[in-house]
Amino acid sequence: MLQLQGVTYIHPNRDLLFSNINLNINKHDKIALIGNNGTGKSTLLKILAGKLKPTTGLLRTAEDPYHVPQHFGQYNNYSIAEALQVSDKLASLAEILSGNATEENLTVLNDDWTIEERCATALAYWNLSDLDLKQPLATLSGGQKTKVFLAGIIIHQPQLVLLDEPTNHLDSYSRNIFYEYIKSTKNTLVVVSHDRTLLNLLNSVCELSKNGIASYGGNYDFYTTQKTIATEATNQVLKNKEKTLRKAKETERESIERQQKLDAKGKKKQEKAGLPTISMNTLKNNAERSTAKMKGVHTDKISNITEELHQLRLTIPDRDKMKVNFLDSDLHQGKVLVNAITVNFGHEHRLLWKNDLSFQIKSGERVAIKGINGSGKTTLIKLILGQVKHTLGTIDSLVTKVIYIDQDYSSINNQFTVYEQAQSFNVALREHEVKIRLSRFLFTKEYWDKPCGALSGGEKMRLILCSFTINNSAPDFIILDEPTNNLDIQNLEILTDTINQYKGTLLVVSHDEFFLEQINIEKTINL
């Protein structure tokens, strides 16, 4: 159905993104395309969609694919009809029905007389019946925009569908509708996603990296099992190689010491024998050459083993290299931190919640706020933090030392460099200690002078977590608002590991049930 042969893509600034990609996609395949941020997943998807041309290599396809893009506001000037690629047909149909049945209008419509009905059916499927096809995308929420592009699958009925982060911004209800489509469809699918529930519904995984593309014949759980086996094997080889290096260095030391003792004994014998000075110098030079030759052999061996170790360490996943050391909260378990009694927000005649909210959050609890898009999840966080004032009821909060990671990572100053951002949280650490903390969170020296505005979402999330470890103040409360949006799988796993090492109170807004299960949520506030 679709084939890539030797595909390479080089950015206009001449940076190589990936090279020599070979991939065969067969009819009815359901493929997950995964990889770290920056490896080129979205670019490769655009090449498959025919929206980008590879620098070198061939693309062969027997079908016109339908592409569901990841959106960052770049389509806001489109109408819904334009986003769905039906505006010309709808305009021609309207002209024909008004009596202007020109050859041009008939050609554009191409006998697609049911286009209006299919648009209505598709929008209704995604609970968007109240939208007007002429409405600008800029007026829609993130979830509504995603659902508009997904509606195009019903309208165009393609055989090959390419989806880029399709569950981003979708609430739990809409995600479940989408999962049912994935399970039931006969379409051929290529999906870029970090949504582990979705990835487990696909029957093969392709991992894109700087080394090319590797295929795994199973779902995401199968892939992680294979990667774990490979990583454990690499770690064992690494341990053995480190042991070999230690042994080689010990052997070098022992050999040199032995040679030095022999040389010293030989020199004494020569002195006793009363050899002429010229003979003594010749023997001395021979001994030095012998020692240098022996040392050179050991140095070469140690150098080779050290290089092998370096190459092995490069293959270890970054998640395994990262070290997190959150201090534990000093609040005793079970202390009431938030007490809300019949709380609501809005205007007297237009309140946000149909039923007033009453709940408690205690120290040490792990709580999720759930609800469909627009149900007021972020507003509730702002009420808890005292950033907005409630309209009804009472809310008492003892939350003081808090990490709040919102959807825009607003605690990051985009004008700062990475080092300046970390330093802004510094209380008592010296410069080299701050840089050690940055390295623990995978910000090597190449990052220290990089502007924060150039970081990906996952990198910003890691920098926020790093900054709070630099602060050396144990947070009583961590609040995460849709933390899994726009994170690649590597950074998702890093976030999960970090949260699971934290012993304080956690409040999370997320539609990602897989993530909520992994971080052991024990209580839910439903809106």
Side-chain angles (χ1 to χ4, degrees):
M1 174 170 271
L2 189 149
Q3 186 181 54
L4 290 178
Q5 278 188 322
V7 166
T8 295
Y9 186 79
I10 300 174
H11 284 300
N13 65 2
R14 299 191 177 180
D15 285 345
L16 175 68
L17 187 59
F18 49 70
S19 64
N20 199 31
I21 299 296
N22 298 294
L23 180 65
N24 289 314
I25 299 171
N26 300 312
K27 197 170 184 179
H28 305 312
D29 278 351
K30 296 180 180 180
I31 296 172
L33 179 60
I34 66 171
N36 293 342
N37 284 344
T39 53
K41 301 183 297 296
S42 293
T43 299
L44 185 58
L45 215 59
K46 287 176 184 175
I47 290 173
L48 295 176
K51 295 184 177 182
L52 268 182
K53 288 193 174 182
T55 308
T56 61
L58 295 174
L59 167 67
R60 295 189 178 94
T61 179
E63 296 285 344
D64 290 329
Y66 180 76
H67 181 222
V68 176
Q70 191 174 174
H71 55 84
F72 304 99
Q74 71 272 41
Y75 301 103
N76 280 351
N77 60 333
Y78 285 40
S79 68
I80 292 173
E82 287 171 335
L84 289 170
Q85 303 169 46
V86 296
S87 57
D88 291 344
K89 280 190 175 183
L90 290 172
S92 292
L93 178 60
E95 287 285 306
I96 292 167
L97 292 177
S98 68
N100 189 20
T102 63
E103 185 176 341
E104 182 183 354
N105 283 330
L106 289 167
T107 299
V108 171
L109 184 61
N110 194 27
D111 283 339
D112 192 358
W113 300 99
T114 63
I115 184 66
E116 276 190 330
E117 288 84 352
R118 292 205 313 282
C119 287
T121 299
L123 293 177
Y125 181 84
W126 287 106
N127 297 307
L128 301 174
S129 295
D130 56 333
L131 298 185
D132 188 316
L133 288 166
K134 295 178 182 177
Q135 192 172 335
L137 282 188
T139 63
L140 308 185
S141 70
Q144 287 174 318
K145 290 175 188 174
T146 299
K147 290 190 280 188
V148 163
F149 284 107
L150 290 173
I153 299 171
I154 297 172
I155 295 168
H156 296 286
Q157 300 175 7
Q159 295 300 304
L160 173 60
V161 182
L162 311 172
L163 302 121
D164 195 351
E165 297 289 0
T167 58
N168 267 10
H169 310 293
L170 292 186
D171 57 32
S172 299
Y173 177 77
S174 299
R175 284 188 184 214
N176 287 329
I177 293 175
F178 180 70
Y179 296 152
E180 286 304 315
Y181 158 72
I182 294 293
K183 287 187 276 189
S184 63
T185 186
K186 301 297 183 187
N187 292 340
T188 303
L189 306 175
V190 181
V191 184
V192 171
S193 182
H194 62 265
D195 179 343
R196 277 77 56 92
T197 302
L198 169 57
L199 295 176
N200 273 328
L201 300 177
L202 306 171
N203 54 29
S204 65
V205 172
C206 292
E207 182 181 32
L208 184 63
S209 71
K210 60 186 177 183
N211 300 318
I213 198 162
S215 298
Y216 297 81
N219 66 5
Y220 182 72
D221 281 347
F222 176 82
Y223 158 81
T224 54
T225 300
Q226 296 303 306
K227 291 291 283 187
T228 299
I229 292 170
T231 301
E232 287 174 352
T234 300
N235 285 334
Q236 188 57 51
V237 172
L238 191 64
K239 286 178 183 177
N240 293 339
K241 194 65 68 177
E242 287 170 342
K243 186 177 179 182
T244 302
L245 180 61
R246 288 194 298 271
K247 184 67 176 173
K249 287 181 176 178
E250 186 180 330
T251 301
E252 178 191 38
R253 180 181 54 76
E254 290 174 349
S255 297
I256 291 172
E257 286 177 355
R258 192 182 308 114
Q259 186 64 43
Q260 287 172 341
K261 286 177 182 177
L262 289 172
D263 291 345
K265 283 182 182 178
K267 186 178 179 182
K268 284 181 181 178
K269 284 182 180 179
Q270 293 155 14
E271 288 172 346
K272 283 182 181 179
L275 292 176
T277 301
I278 188 167
S279 298
M280 291 280 287
N281 287 338
T282 299
L283 291 169
K284 179 185 176 186
N285 290 337
N286 288 341
E288 287 175 350
R289 280 197 295 271
S290 176
T291 301
K293 184 177 180 182
M294 179 194 301
K295 192 168 183 179
V297 170
H298 285 292
T299 299
D300 288 345
K301 185 175 181 181
I302 288 169
S303 177
N304 290 336
I305 296 171
T306 301
E307 177 58 26
E308 289 171 7
L309 267 172
H310 173 68
Q311 294 301 324
L312 273 172
R313 287 182 179 126
L314 290 177
T315 66
I316 296 173
D318 286 340
R319 174 190 179 189
D320 294 344
K321 299 175 191 172
M322 190 171 133
K323 293 182 172 50
V324 182
N325 58 345
F326 259 133
L327 297 173
D328 292 341
S329 168
D330 55 9
L331 289 177
H332 68 266
Q333 296 284 306
K335 180 177 181 178
V336 176
L337 298 181
V338 179
N339 187 32
I341 302 173
T342 59
V343 166
N344 218 318
F345 177 80
H347 306 289
E348 188 176 346
H349 301 295
R350 185 168 182 148
L351 295 172
L352 180 55
W353 298 298
K354 182 179 178 181
N355 299 312
D356 299 337
L357 303 179
S358 295
F359 61 87
Q360 284 187 339
I361 299 175
K362 297 178 181 178
S363 177
E365 287 187 324
R366 297 192 160 220
V367 183
I369 301 176
K370 293 184 180 181
I372 62 172
N373 292 338
S375 60
K377 299 182 292 295
T378 300
T379 299
L380 181 55
I381 287 177
K382 291 179 177 179
L383 286 170
I384 290 170
L385 291 174
Q387 294 179 356
V388 296
K389 179 68 176 170
H390 51 280
T391 306
L392 296 178
T394 61
I395 183 165
D396 296 318
S397 175
L398 298 177
V399 176
T400 51
K401 292 186 289 184
V402 60
I403 294 177
Y404 176 32
I405 304 180
D406 61 13
Q407 296 182 49
D408 299 320
Y409 308 105
S410 56
S411 61
I412 294 283
N413 186 331
N414 286 329
Q415 307 307 312
F416 281 177
T417 65
V418 167
Y419 175 73
E420 287 170 342
Q421 173 69 28
Q423 188 67 17
S424 70
F425 280 77
N426 188 18
V427 176
L429 298 181
R430 287 172 291 197
E431 179 179 335
H432 77 277
E433 292 173 315
V434 171
K435 290 177 176 176
I436 287 171
R437 297 288 178 96
L438 283 168
S439 295
R440 285 178 183 169
F441 279 79
L442 311 181
F443 293 107
T444 53
K445 61 182 179 181
E446 291 80 13
Y447 276 90
W448 296 341
D449 294 325
K450 190 173 182 178
C452 292
L455 299 180
S456 69
E459 288 168 335
K460 287 183 177 181
M461 178 273 297
R462 273 194 280 118
L463 185 54
I464 291 171
L465 296 175
C466 178
S467 297
F468 279 95
T469 68
I470 288 170
N471 184 258
N472 269 344
S473 175
D476 297 328
F477 215 118
I478 293 180
I479 300 177
L480 306 171
D481 191 354
E482 296 286 7
T484 63
N485 278 359
N486 303 316
L487 297 192
D488 61 14
I489 290 173
Q490 169 191 264
N491 283 304
L492 255 177
E493 291 174 341
I494 287 171
L495 177 62
T496 302
D497 289 346
T498 303
I499 293 304
N500 283 334
Q501 290 180 49
Y502 172 63
K503 304 303 180 188
T505 311
L506 182 68
L507 181 64
V508 184
V509 171
S510 180
H511 300 296
D512 188 337
E513 293 293 337
F514 193 99
F515 173 70
L516 294 177
E517 183 179 335
Q518 284 201 315
I519 60 172
N520 303 307
I521 291 297
E522 56 197 7
K523 182 176 175 180
T524 301
I525 299 171
N526 289 301
L527 302 182

